[in-house]
Amino acid sequence: MKSIIMKNIAFVILVAATIMSCSKADNNDLENPVVHEEELITTVRLIISNPSGFNQTFDYKVDNGIGSADPSLPEVDDIILDANTTYNVEVKVLNEAETPVEDITEEVIAESASHLFLFASQPTAGPGAILFSNGSLDSNGEPFNQRIEFETQSVTNTGTTNGTLTVTLKHEPTNKAAINPDNAGGETDAVAIFPVKLQ
Amino acid sequence: MLLVFYQYLAYAQEPCNIALNIKLVEKHNGQVVSPAVVHVDEVNLTVEADEKGIVTIDKLCAGIYTFHVHAAGHEHYLEKVNVSKNGELKFRLAHLEGWLDEVEISEERTSTVIQDKDKLDKEALTQQAGNNLGDVLKTVNGLNTLNTGATISKPVIHGLHSNRLILLNNGIRQEDQQWGSEHAPNIDPFLANNITVIKGAAGVKYGTEAIAGVVLIEPAPLRRKPGWDAELNLAAFSNNRMGVASATVEHNFKKLPPLSFRLQGTYKKGGNYRTPNYWVANTGVEENNYSATVGWNKLHYGVEVFYSHFDTDLGIYRGSHTGNQQDLNAAIHSDTPLVSAGFTYDLERPRQHVVHDLFKAKMYKDSRVGMWHATYAYQHNFRQEYDITRTPTDDAQMNLTLNTQTLNLNLEHVPVWGLTGELGVDGIFQENFIQPGDRLFIPNFRSRGIGSYLIERYKGADWVVEGGLRFDYRWYELFNPEGRNGEVVRYELDYKNLSATIGFTKNLSDDWQYSVILSNAWRAPQSNELFSAGLHHGAARIEYGNKDLKAERAYSINTEVKGAIGEKLTTDISLYAQYIQDFIYLQPQAYQLTIRGFFKTFGYTQTNASLSGTDITLNYNWTDNFSTDLKSSFLFARDLKAEDWLILMPADRMTLGNRYQTNVGNKLKDAFIQVQGQYVFSQWRIPENFDEIDYPRPPDAYFLLNATIGATVNAGKQPFQISLTGNNLLNTRYRDYLDAFRYFVDQPGRNIILRLRMPLTFEQ
């Protein structure tokens, strides 16, 4: 009786020990996870030009990073434009976390039907505002706005004005005719807020 | 005195041709007693009761007969009856406390500590055929579901869920990424012959994570009599045009009596579901499940091998994967869902694809010291998430594997000094890893655990006392990619815990039973709680883990009073209070600006919590055919450090049901009609900082009307059970606080369900 109990206890301990020392089947994948942050956008770039030779680039950049616990502050360029002038604008979205820098704009243009750029100016009209027109169309003839025209308004009596420009990129918007991002539906892939000064 | 109830039918009386229909029920709750055996001394007749606890004896002469009833887990019943004409008898057997209801006469015994247990028997499960596991369990008082839409449903016991409860799938702890609020259990309810829910901390017997309780999903024991058994279940749902078919076939070999096997399979396919006013886009579901069991069962030893495969595809409402906080607010404020749809079975992105394979080998052997059990199980869980991507691709963005091996050894020892009980050892080994190139979700990890326990029970004249002790050790090795370059950092963590339990049950009288249990349970923090650093899809929030989290320890006291008042009223009242030390939860922190806009951020932190409440069930039998039952549950969940209510706890609710059951001629047996109303209160017990954490406020209270009619049809040789159910018959528009889709869409509208069950028996 005793030997049976002893045998049973020994068996139990042996099995338990086996479980505890179960060696990993050399699982390299497990010990070296390789993550890839999908389709990361770090930068919204505006290329603003006009026929009289003006050509400048303005960046809005936020470093997300994987696993970063520090909220990144955006690096933003001030947009300084002449009042009462029309400009041609092209939007680019980039992933500057990669080397070389990944130009995501190509992909967005290829999937133009499921993307929409929206522009909003603060103030919306009057001195200091920017009006938007002639936005480019997607493959279905619906608004896309990767290229668009800015029409800057006048300045106030003091000579300069300060406002903001918000550029939003929406993925799979449900309403392509929307002016306001909240009415467009879909997911916001990028939103860039630039300080604007007209002079 | 034991009570017996007679009802004589107006059949012509004939000598020696008297038929008796005997029904066996449990004394306190009226539930069917099966398996059971009825023996009649005077004619030396022994008959087995069927699964409804019914025994039919015919060709009796008039006279006095002595009936004995033997049923495992119940007291031996003895009654002398004066039989003079055809009739129906109902024998009420008293349940032996301390034994789980599915203690079979010669099958595996799953004894456990005295707990507040609710059981869903075969009858109850048949009425829920085709529903997912969360929805099946929701019918138990005190249980709710945490949803991500109508197709993803996780069980909630007394306000707790995910990795605060254990699902035992055929005796094996289900390991299927249960920590995720959008991860429904990967278990096919058709595997179960009965489901038992243990409410309350059950750490001693079941190990870590048994804080809220344990759900035991148990198949029927393999057939022992030679011959074939088969069953076909069909269900059709109108709301999402879903069809479900499940079949089982079972055989015991006449030439080899110890050998039996069972094969089972289920197929399910449903499309978008519909709220009263619109379809919810991309919410279809498909399931392909099958399982096989082979057993070699001899009197003193046996082996059983089991394999199950679960495969599901689930669509996620497209509009729920919003972008930033502003996008989420726009979706919340929209009157209609932002993504509109009609009906389709097609599944688009975002969607989940999960496969769960379980292999189990179990051995039992009787010996002079008691019954030995050894169980080994291997589980492979593979979860894929197909996200919305910018450019079309066929790949899944996440491919997460979780492999788990468990080994359990236990001994149910022979009585010693009047004590019966068991001691055991549990071991677990787990590996969790992504595929290279996946998006970051949770860190890869490897974990090992060992636990050993002792449970002893002492039975007095009309009372039982039970106590248990358990020691657990868990060790984790985690590999977390961190920083700009995703450099892998290795962490090692370990946890130890001692759990204890003591319970006491007493029969206050023939009609009343009282039990009280003190128990505790614990769990180690999950890898997402330790290391999250990313966006929670569909919630527009960024969650940050906390490496310094300690293990949660829960201490609970449950009391239950069950009794009968007079002939007609039975009651079951349970009161519980649970203190959870170092309760882990998400605390709101500052908003974070990313290129995608602003997101709320939350960090995992700990507090001390107390969850207490009551589950009350009352059942009134107006007549033998007509009964009313009232179920209600109330939960009070507090954050003790903040002296405030806890977030996201289920609201109080009450259900009132009426049921009329009768036989209609010879063709329709157990025909019934059932009408039920459920009222769910609005959750007003919310913390003061609710608006920082969540928006909008919990939805309004709502009332739902459900009804079912059904019968067992005896047309020709093959009986079958048929039922027609209408859920949300009033097509009420409502939202539920515990559904993550409450921001976007209403709950499903009316659903008409047709169910058919055909048990086929081929006797040899």
Side-chain angles (χ1 to χ4, degrees):
Chain A
M1 174 75 161
K2 231 184 184 172
S3 69
I4 293 175
I5 297 176
M6 289 309 292
K7 253 194 266 182
N8 287 323
I9 292 176
F11 173 66
V12 166
I13 293 174
L14 179 67
V15 172
T18 311
I19 279 284
M20 286 298 289
S21 65
C22 243
S23 59
K24 47 228 163 173
D26 207 13
N27 197 330
N28 204 39
D29 274 355
L30 188 147
E31 300 188 1
N32 296 293
V34 176
V35 295
H36 170 61
E37 180 147 355
E38 280 286 322
E39 314 172 337
L40 175 63
I41 296 175
T42 59
T43 313
V44 175
R45 175 169 294 166
L46 297 180
I47 302 170
I48 305 186
S49 60
N50 78 4
S52 40
F54 181 92
N55 192 321
Q56 270 183 41
T57 300
F58 303 93
D59 280 358
Y60 177 96
K61 182 173 173 179
V62 183
D63 258 335
N64 279 5
I66 297 167
S68 77
D70 313 312
S72 293
L73 293 171
E75 293 160 37
V76 194
D77 293 334
D78 292 338
I79 296 180
I80 304 172
L81 301 173
D82 292 335
N84 298 313
T85 315
T86 305
Y87 294 91
N88 295 314
V89 180
E90 187 188 347
V91 189
K92 278 194 174 290
V93 279
L94 311 167
N95 180 358
E96 294 189 288
E98 298 278 321
T99 317
V101 169
E102 197 186 338
D103 187 355
I104 298 178
T105 325
E106 300 298 313
E107 286 173 22
V108 175
I109 293 170
E111 299 294 320
S112 59
S114 55
H115 286 88
L116 178 65
F117 286 93
L118 295 117
F119 293 82
S121 150
Q122 191 62 252
T124 46
I130 301 175
L131 300 183
F132 311 101
S133 57
N134 293 329
S136 58
L137 301 176
D138 70 17
S139 52
N140 293 334
E142 307 245 22
F144 178 45
N145 301 336
Q146 190 260 334
R147 287 176 190 270
I148 199 162
E149 270 177 31
F150 283 8
E151 207 180 298
T152 57
Q153 302 300 286
S154 56
V155 300
T156 60
N157 305 341
T158 55
T160 61
T161 61
N162 293 306
T164 64
L165 169 70
T166 306
V167 183
T168 308
L169 171 61
K170 283 272 189 177
H171 184 209
E172 294 192 0
T174 50
N175 177 10
K176 276 237 160 179
I179 307 293
N180 185 330
D182 282 348
N183 298 331
E187 279 165 42
T188 304
D189 270 356
V191 56
I193 304 176
F194 295 90
V196 172
K197 204 153 124 170
L198 300 182
Q199 59 194 14
Chain B
M1 286 310 300
L2 299 164
L3 303 162
V4 174
F5 181 90
Y6 296 83
Q7 184 189 353
Y8 285 93
L9 301 175
Y11 284 150
Q13 180 189 333
E14 290 170 55
C16 294
N17 214 355
I18 300 175
L20 284 180
N21 207 39
I22 302 170
K23 190 166 164 100
L24 305 171
V25 294
E26 206 282 329
K27 196 164 174 190
H28 299 291
N29 59 24
Q31 283 200 329
V32 153
V33 173
S34 173
V37 167
V38 174
H39 179 82
V40 188
D41 283 345
E42 289 75 3
V43 288
N44 197 23
L45 177 70
T46 303
V47 188
E48 240 185 74
D50 68 14
E51 74 216 346
K52 293 209 180 117
I54 300 200
V55 169
T56 309
I57 300 175
D58 55 12
K59 301 209 171 26
L60 282 175
C61 307
I64 298 177
Y65 292 93
T66 312
F67 291 89
H68 297 259
V69 185
H70 296 273
H74 293 77
E75 281 178 11
H76 169 217
Y77 183 96
L78 173 64
E79 180 73 22
K80 269 186 156 54
V81 178
N82 188 351
V83 174
S84 59
K85 44 184 167 174
N86 292 340
E88 284 188 5
L89 300 175
K90 188 181 262 185
F91 294 154
R92 290 200 169 83
L93 279 70
H95 188 127
L96 285 173
E97 201 40 46
W99 288 87
L100 208 52
D101 283 3
E102 51 280 317
V103 169
E104 301 290 351
I105 293 163
S106 55
E107 308 303 351
E108 42 183 313
R109 302 201 304 243
T110 19
S111 49
T112 183
V113 290
I114 301 168
Q115 308 261 198
D116 180 357
K117 293 187 284 283
D118 272 49
K119 183 172 165 184
L120 293 170
D121 61 12
K122 182 79 178 168
E123 211 34 64
L125 292 178
T126 304
Q127 283 207 26
Q128 298 296 319
N131 283 336
N132 58 43
L133 184 64
D135 290 343
V136 171
L137 293 171
K138 202 171 183 164
T139 55
V140 174
N141 201 15
L143 267 68
N144 296 290
T145 51
L146 178 71
N147 285 70
T148 305
T151 52
I152 296 177
S153 215
K154 293 170 66 83
V156 176
I157 301 178
H158 291 164
L160 302 174
H161 55 83
S162 297
N163 51 344
R164 292 195 178 102
L165 61 87
I166 296 179
L167 297 177
L168 276 189
N169 185 356
N170 195 0
I172 305 300
R173 296 171 74 96
Q174 179 82 353
E175 293 287 340
D176 58 1
Q177 311 287 8
Q178 62 266 28
W179 56 268
S181 57
E182 295 116 26
H183 303 169
N186 305 144
I187 299 177
D188 180 2
F190 282 112
L191 280 176
N193 184 57
N194 59 76
I195 296 182
T196 301
V197 179
I198 296 177
K199 295 182 273 184
V204 170
K205 162 87 180 180
Y206 298 103
T208 91
E209 301 180 7
I211 292 177
V214 181
V215 178
L216 293 94
I217 296 127
E218 297 190 310
L222 283 176
R223 187 189 166 92
R224 295 295 189 86
K225 292 186 292 191
W228 290 91
D229 247 325
E231 183 172 305
L232 178 65
N233 272 285
L234 299 169
F237 294 71
S238 73
N239 184 290
N240 60 344
R241 303 190 194 164
M242 180 163 80
V244 185
S246 183
T248 304
V249 75
E250 214 174 317
H251 181 62
N252 174 274
F253 293 88
K254 190 171 184 183
K255 300 252 173 79
L256 268 178
L259 183 63
S260 312
F261 74 83
R262 174 189 293 140
L263 296 170
Q264 180 263 342
T266 301
Y267 180 71
K268 176 189 272 197
K269 180 122 180 120
N272 290 349
Y273 66 86
R274 190 176 160 80
T275 72
N277 293 349
Y278 46 80
W279 296 96
V280 184
N282 198 41
T283 50
V285 59
E286 183 169 351
E287 257 179 49
N288 281 285
N289 312 325
Y290 49 83
S291 72
T293 317
V294 179
W296 179 269
N297 289 298
K298 301 209 73 151
L299 193 57
H300 292 294
Y301 65 92
V303 177
E304 192 174 280
V305 167
F306 172 79
Y307 169 71
S308 74
H309 175 84
F310 179 94
D311 184 321
T312 186
D313 274 286
L314 290 152
I316 306 280
Y317 168 59
R318 173 67 183 91
S320 71
H321 276 206
T322 60
N324 58 30
Q325 186 60 40
Q326 192 177 347
D327 292 344
L328 177 60
N329 285 342
I332 290 170
H333 287 124
S334 171
D335 279 332
T336 52
L338 287 181
V339 181
S340 61
F343 178 80
T344 178
Y345 285 109
D346 291 341
L347 293 176
E348 313 272 343
R349 293 170 181 247
R351 68 174 199 274
Q352 298 177 3
H353 177 238
V354 192
V355 172
H356 192 88
D357 286 307
L358 182 136
F359 170 79
K360 168 187 170 187
K362 179 161 184 156
M363 204 173 67
Y364 65 90
K365 179 169 160 38
D366 223 342
S367 76
R368 269 179 292 171
V369 295
M371 179 81 89
W372 291 95
H373 299 267
T375 309
Y376 168 77
Y378 172 74
Q379 293 176 67
H380 166 73
N381 182 278
F382 185 55
R383 166 173 284 272
Q384 291 180 294
E385 293 193 0
Y386 292 83
D387 299 337
I388 306 284
T389 55
R390 182 167 303 116
T391 44
T393 168
D394 284 336
D395 295 337
Q397 281 57 53
M398 190 193 75
N399 302 273
L400 190 60
T401 301
L402 177 64
N403 293 331
T404 309
Q405 293 184 67
T406 51
L407 181 66
N408 303 81
L409 288 150
N410 80 351
L411 168 67
E412 285 169 3
H413 65 75
V414 294
V416 139
W417 305 317
L419 290 170
T420 53
E422 66 178 287
L423 47 143
V425 170
D426 291 328
I428 184 167
F429 178 72
Q430 255 187 341
E431 289 187 322
N432 185 334
F433 49 94
I434 54 170
Q435 238 176 53
D438 276 359
R439 60 171 159 82
L440 178 63
F441 197 49
I442 50 169
N444 290 354
F445 68 83
R446 184 178 289 128
S447 109
R448 297 188 180 113
I450 188 146
S452 69
Y453 63 94
L454 173 69
I455 301 171
E456 294 296 335
R457 190 180 309 124
Y458 186 82
K459 190 169 179 298
D462 57 1
W463 53 271
V464 180
V465 72
E466 199 166 49
L469 212 58
R470 183 189 181 101
F471 175 75
D472 274 302
Y473 176 73
R474 268 277 176 127
W475 177 84
Y476 290 87
E477 189 182 9
L478 301 112
F479 300 90
N480 194 36
E482 294 181 1
R484 214 39 94 248
N485 304 315
E487 206 176 285
V488 178
V489 180
R490 180 180 176 277
Y491 296 88
E492 211 177 289
L493 297 162
D494 68 49
Y495 306 90
K496 298 190 219 358
N497 189 77
L498 191 63
S499 304
T501 186
I502 180 137
F504 176 74
T505 296
K506 186 173 165 65
N507 288 337
L508 297 169
S509 70
D510 266 347
D511 293 325
W512 287 90
Q513 194 182 74
Y514 167 76
S515 29
V516 62
I517 312 103
L518 282 90
S519 56
N520 75 339
W522 74 291
R523 72 171 184 98
Q526 195 63 31
S527 54
N528 69 308
E529 291 163 332
L530 296 165
F531 289 102
S532 264
L535 188 58
H536 187 136
H537 273 305
R541 63 169 191 249
I542 295 177
E543 294 174 359
Y544 288 114
N546 180 347
K547 295 189 234 344
D548 300 323
L549 292 175
K550 297 185 280 214
E552 280 186 359
R553 286 186 167 73
Y555 303 89
S556 71
I557 175 164
N558 283 54
T559 67
E560 193 178 4
V561 176
K562 291 201 271 214
I565 303 174
E567 271 285 326
K568 300 184 186 256
L569 179 65
T570 53
T571 73
D572 186 340
I573 300 170
S574 76
L575 287 157
Y576 58 92
Q578 188 167 62
Y579 169 72
I580 303 180
Q581 191 176 55
D582 297 321
F583 180 83
I584 297 170
Y585 72 107
L586 281 169
Q587 191 178 58
Q589 292 165 357
Y591 272 75
Q592 182 173 336
L593 180 63
T594 73
I595 193 74
R596 286 175 272 186
F598 279 102
F599 290 84
K600 279 188 174 148
T601 67
F602 288 80
Y604 279 102
T605 184
Q606 311 196 259
T607 184
N608 295 331
S610 107
L611 286 92
S612 52
T614 175
D615 298 332
I616 300 172
T617 305
L618 298 168
N619 190 290
Y620 193 82
N621 289 328
W622 302 90
T623 72
D624 222 25
N625 296 20
F626 184 62
S627 66
T628 298
D629 71 88
L630 175 68
K631 290 191 200 175
S632 59
S633 63
F634 301 91
L635 171 68
F636 302 84
R638 299 284 293 175
D639 176 338
L640 293 171
K641 284 189 186 168
E643 288 178 5
D644 206 345
W645 299 106
L646 273 178
I647 193 104
L648 204 64
M649 287 287 159
D652 304 331
R653 58 204 62 214
M654 298 178 59
T655 307
L656 183 70
N658 288 295
R659 186 185 169 102
Y660 180 81
Q661 181 163 328
T662 186
N663 294 330
V664 180
N666 271 335
K667 299 276 173 163
L668 288 182
K669 261 192 71 189
D670 296 329
F672 70 93
I673 175 163
Q674 189 171 292
V675 178
Q676 185 194 72
Q678 182 179 53
Y679 185 78
V680 176
F681 293 81
S682 176
Q683 181 55 289
W684 58 266
R685 298 185 198 110
I686 52 175
E688 274 184 23
N689 66 339
F690 183 92
D691 297 327
E692 267 175 61
I693 304 171
D694 201 356
Y695 175 84
R697 290 287 174 101
D700 295 332
Y702 59 88
F703 174 79
L704 298 175
L705 184 67
N706 309 320
T708 307
I709 60 169
T712 302
V713 180
N714 276 321
K717 277 190 287 187
Q718 183 51 61
F720 61 90
Q721 257 180 292
I722 188 165
S723 73
L724 186 67
T725 301
N727 283 339
N728 192 3
L729 280 171
L730 303 174
N731 211 22
T732 308
R733 257 192 95 170
Y734 70 104
R735 299 201 179 188
D736 189 271
Y737 182 35
L738 258 59
D739 188 339
F741 281 7
R742 72 180 180 88
Y743 305 118
F744 315 112
V745 293
D746 296 328
Q747 289 291 306
R750 191 177 299 124
N751 198 353
I752 309 291
I753 308 161
L754 180 65
R755 292 183 169 102
L756 191 66
R757 176 179 164 231
M758 277 192 295
L760 310 149
T761 311
F762 314 92
E763 292 291 344
Q764 274 185 355

Coordinates of all heavy atoms in Angstrom, one line a residue, chain A residues 55-91:
Chain A
N55 N 7.1 79.2 -54.6 CA 7.0 77.8 -54.4 C 7.6 77.4 -53.1 O 8.8 77.5 -52.9 CB 7.8 77.1 -55.6 CG 7.6 75.6 -55.6 OD1 7.5 75.0 -54.6 ND2 7.5 75.1 -56.8
Q56 N 6.8 77.0 -52.2 CA 7.3 76.7 -50.8 C 6.6 75.4 -50.3 O 5.5 75.1 -50.7 CB 7.0 77.8 -49.9 CG 8.2 78.8 -49.8 CD 7.9 79.9 -48.8 OE1 7.4 79.6 -47.7 NE2 8.3 81.1 -49.2
T57 N 7.3 74.8 -49.4 CA 6.8 73.6 -48.8 C 6.5 73.8 -47.3 O 7.4 74.4 -46.6 CB 7.8 72.4 -48.9 OG1 8.0 72.2 -50.3 CG2 7.3 71.2 -48.3
F58 N 5.4 73.4 -46.8 CA 5.1 73.5 -45.4 C 4.7 72.1 -44.8 O 3.9 71.4 -45.4 CB 3.9 74.5 -45.2 CG 4.1 75.8 -45.8 CD1 3.7 76.1 -47.1 CD2 4.8 76.8 -45.1 CE1 3.9 77.3 -47.7 CE2 5.0 78.0 -45.7 CZ 4.6 78.3 -46.9
D59 N 5.4 71.8 -43.7 CA 5.2 70.5 -43.1 C 4.5 70.5 -41.8 O 4.7 71.4 -40.9 CB 6.6 69.8 -42.8 CG 7.2 69.2 -44.1 OD1 6.5 69.3 -45.2 OD2 8.3 68.7 -44.0
Y60 N 3.7 69.5 -41.5 CA 3.1 69.3 -40.2 C 3.5 67.9 -39.9 O 3.2 66.9 -40.6 CB 1.6 69.4 -40.3 CG 0.9 69.0 -38.9 CD1 0.5 70.1 -38.1 CD2 0.6 67.7 -38.6 CE1 -0.1 69.8 -36.9 CE2 0.0 67.4 -37.4 CZ -0.4 68.5 -36.5 OH -1.0 68.2 -35.3
K61 N 4.3 67.7 -38.8 CA 4.9 66.4 -38.5 C 4.7 66.0 -37.1 O 4.9 66.8 -36.1 CB 6.4 66.5 -38.8 CG 7.1 65.2 -38.6 CD 8.6 65.3 -39.1 CE 9.4 64.1 -38.7 NZ 10.7 64.1 -39.2
V62 N 4.2 64.8 -36.9 CA 4.1 64.2 -35.5 C 4.7 62.9 -35.5 O 4.4 62.0 -36.3 CB 2.6 64.1 -35.1 CG1 2.5 63.6 -33.6 CG2 1.9 65.4 -35.2
D63 N 5.6 62.6 -34.6 CA 6.3 61.3 -34.5 C 5.5 60.4 -33.7 O 5.4 60.6 -32.5 CB 7.7 61.5 -33.9 CG 8.7 61.5 -35.0 OD1 8.5 60.9 -36.0 OD2 9.8 62.0 -34.7
N64 N 4.8 59.4 -34.2 CA 4.1 58.5 -33.4 C 5.0 57.5 -32.7 O 5.1 57.4 -31.5 CB 3.1 57.7 -34.2 CG 1.8 58.5 -34.4 OD1 1.8 59.6 -34.0 ND2 0.8 57.9 -35.0
G65 N 5.7 56.7 -33.5 CA 6.6 55.7 -32.9 C 5.8 54.6 -32.3 O 4.7 54.7 -31.9
I66 N 6.5 53.4 -32.2 CA 5.8 52.2 -31.7 C 6.2 52.1 -30.2 O 7.3 52.2 -29.8 CB 6.3 51.0 -32.4 CG1 5.9 51.0 -33.9 CG2 5.7 49.7 -31.7 CD1 6.6 50.0 -34.7
G67 N 5.1 52.0 -29.4 CA 5.4 51.8 -28.0 C 5.9 53.1 -27.3 O 6.4 53.0 -26.2
S68 N 5.8 54.2 -28.0 CA 6.3 55.4 -27.3 C 5.3 55.9 -26.3 O 4.1 56.0 -26.7 CB 6.7 56.5 -28.3 OG 5.5 57.1 -28.8
A69 N 5.7 56.1 -25.1 CA 4.8 56.6 -24.1 C 4.8 58.1 -24.0 O 4.0 58.7 -23.3 CB 5.1 56.0 -22.8
D70 N 5.7 58.8 -24.8 CA 5.7 60.2 -24.7 C 4.9 60.8 -25.8 O 5.1 60.6 -26.9 CB 7.2 60.8 -24.9 CG 8.2 60.0 -24.1 OD1 7.9 59.8 -22.9 OD2 9.2 59.5 -24.7
P71 N 3.9 61.6 -25.4 CA 3.1 62.3 -26.4 C 4.0 63.2 -27.2 O 4.7 64.1 -26.6 CB 2.0 63.0 -25.7 CG 2.4 63.0 -24.2 CD 3.5 62.0 -24.0
S72 N 4.0 63.0 -28.5 CA 4.9 63.9 -29.3 C 4.2 65.2 -29.6 O 3.1 65.3 -29.9 CB 5.2 63.2 -30.7 OG 6.0 62.1 -30.4
L73 N 5.0 66.3 -29.5 CA 4.4 67.6 -29.9 C 4.7 67.7 -31.4 O 5.7 67.3 -32.0 CB 5.2 68.7 -29.2 CG 4.9 68.7 -27.7 CD1 5.7 69.7 -27.0 CD2 3.4 69.0 -27.4
P74 N 3.7 68.3 -32.1 CA 3.9 68.4 -33.6 C 4.9 69.5 -33.9 O 5.1 70.5 -33.2 CB 2.5 68.8 -34.1 CG 1.7 69.3 -32.9 CD 2.4 68.7 -31.7
E75 N 5.6 69.2 -35.0 CA 6.5 70.2 -35.6 C 5.8 70.8 -36.7 O 5.5 70.1 -37.7 CB 7.8 69.6 -36.1 CG 8.7 69.0 -34.9 CD 9.7 68.0 -35.5 OE1 10.2 68.2 -36.6 OE2 9.9 67.0 -34.8
V76 N 5.5 72.1 -36.6 CA 4.6 72.7 -37.7 C 5.3 73.9 -38.3 O 5.9 74.7 -37.5 CB 3.3 73.2 -37.0 CG1 2.3 73.5 -38.1 CG2 2.7 72.2 -36.1
D77 N 5.2 74.0 -39.6 CA 5.7 75.2 -40.2 C 4.6 76.2 -40.3 O 3.4 75.9 -40.6 CB 6.2 74.9 -41.7 CG 7.4 74.0 -41.7 OD1 8.1 74.0 -40.7 OD2 7.6 73.2 -42.7
D78 N 5.0 77.5 -40.1 CA 4.0 78.6 -40.3 C 3.8 78.8 -41.8 O 4.7 78.9 -42.6 CB 4.5 79.9 -39.7 CG 4.5 79.8 -38.2 OD1 3.8 78.9 -37.6 OD2 5.3 80.5 -37.6
I79 N 2.5 78.9 -42.2 CA 2.2 79.2 -43.6 C 2.1 80.8 -43.7 O 1.2 81.3 -43.1 CB 0.9 78.5 -44.1 CG1 1.1 77.0 -44.0 CG2 0.6 79.0 -45.5 CD1 -0.1 76.2 -44.4
I80 N 2.9 81.4 -44.5 CA 2.9 82.8 -44.7 C 2.6 83.0 -46.2 O 3.4 82.7 -47.0 CB 4.1 83.5 -44.3 CG1 4.4 83.1 -42.8 CG2 4.0 85.0 -44.5 CD1 5.8 83.6 -42.3
L81 N 1.5 83.6 -46.5 CA 1.1 83.8 -47.9 C 0.7 85.3 -48.1 O 0.3 86.0 -47.1 CB -0.1 82.9 -48.2 CG 0.1 81.4 -48.1 CD1 -1.2 80.7 -48.3 CD2 1.2 80.9 -49.1
D82 N 0.7 85.7 -49.4 CA 0.2 87.0 -49.7 C -1.3 87.0 -49.7 O -2.0 86.1 -50.1 CB 0.7 87.5 -51.1 CG 2.2 87.6 -51.1 OD1 2.7 87.9 -50.1 OD2 2.8 87.5 -52.2
A83 N -1.9 88.1 -49.3 CA -3.4 88.3 -49.3 C -3.8 88.4 -50.8 O -3.0 88.8 -51.7 CB -3.8 89.5 -48.5
N84 N -5.1 88.2 -51.0 CA -5.7 88.3 -52.3 C -5.0 87.7 -53.4 O -4.8 88.3 -54.5 CB -5.9 89.8 -52.6 CG -6.8 90.5 -51.6 OD1 -7.9 90.0 -51.2 ND2 -6.4 91.6 -51.0
T85 N -4.5 86.5 -53.2 CA -3.7 85.8 -54.2 C -4.3 84.4 -54.4 O -4.8 83.8 -53.4 CB -2.3 85.7 -53.8 OG1 -1.9 87.0 -53.4 CG2 -1.4 85.3 -55.0
T86 N -4.1 83.8 -55.6 CA -4.5 82.4 -55.8 C -3.3 81.6 -55.9 O -2.3 81.9 -56.5 CB -5.3 82.3 -57.1 OG1 -6.4 83.2 -57.1 CG2 -5.8 80.9 -57.3
Y87 N -3.3 80.5 -55.2 CA -2.2 79.5 -55.1 C -2.6 78.1 -55.6 O -3.8 77.7 -55.3 CB -1.6 79.4 -53.7 CG -0.9 80.7 -53.2 CD1 -1.7 81.6 -52.5 CD2 0.4 80.9 -53.5 CE1 -1.1 82.8 -52.0 CE2 1.0 82.1 -53.0 CZ 0.3 83.0 -52.3 OH 0.9 84.1 -51.8
N88 N -1.7 77.4 -56.2 CA -2.0 76.0 -56.4 C -1.3 75.2 -55.3 O -0.2 75.4 -54.9 CB -1.3 75.6 -57.7 CG -2.0 76.3 -58.9 OD1 -3.2 76.4 -59.0 ND2 -1.2 76.8 -59.8
V89 N -2.1 74.2 -54.8 CA -1.6 73.5 -53.6 C -1.7 72.0 -53.9 O -2.6 71.5 -54.5 CB -2.5 73.8 -52.4 CG1 -2.0 73.0 -51.2 CG2 -2.5 75.3 -52.1
E90 N -0.6 71.3 -53.5 CA -0.6 69.9 -53.6 C -0.3 69.3 -52.2 O 0.6 69.8 -51.5 CB 0.5 69.4 -54.6 CG 0.5 67.9 -54.8 CD 1.7 67.4 -55.7 OE1 2.4 68.3 -56.2 OE2 1.9 66.2 -55.7
V91 N -1.1 68.3 -51.8 CA -0.8 67.7 -50.5 C -0.1 66.4 -50.7 O -0.4 65.6 -51.6 CB -2.2 67.3 -49.8 CG1 -1.9 66.9 -48.4 CG2 -3.1 68.5 -49.9

